[in-house]
Amino acid sequence: IFSSFARADKDVVAEEPAVEDISDYYTETLAGLYLEQGYPEQAVEIYSKLSLRYPEKSVYFASLIEKINKQ
């Protein structure tokens, strides 16, 4: 009986770990930190992605992007 389990165990293929999408960590706070540290391009990128993720706030994010681009 044990030998049949041992053979069956060898046939099991290890699953690859799930790859996390880094955009899951994009937040308004992170964009604000980038702005404070002098990285406006990264802040605009995050606001753009947040605008797509939260279409109900797209006008808000667009105004933030416009404000950054005017600086």
Side-chain angles (χ1 to χ4, degrees), residues 3-61:
S3 61
S4 64
F5 285 117
R7 275 183 271 148
D9 188 40
K10 289 180 183 178
D11 295 336
V12 174
V13 178
E15 292 182 24
E16 291 186 30
V19 177
E20 285 190 44
D21 185 11
I22 194 158
S23 66
D24 290 342
Y25 299 105
Y26 288 169
T27 64
E28 289 181 61
T29 303
L30 181 59
L33 288 172
Y34 276 132
L35 264 176
E36 287 178 14
Q37 294 177 359
Y39 299 102
E41 298 86 16
Q42 286 82 355
V44 168
E45 179 183 344
I46 291 173
Y47 286 138
S48 296
K49 291 183 181 190
L50 288 172
S51 177
L52 294 173
R53 183 179 291 166
Y54 304 105
E56 67 276 6
K57 293 177 74 175
S58 62
V59 173
Y60 168 70
F61 291 125

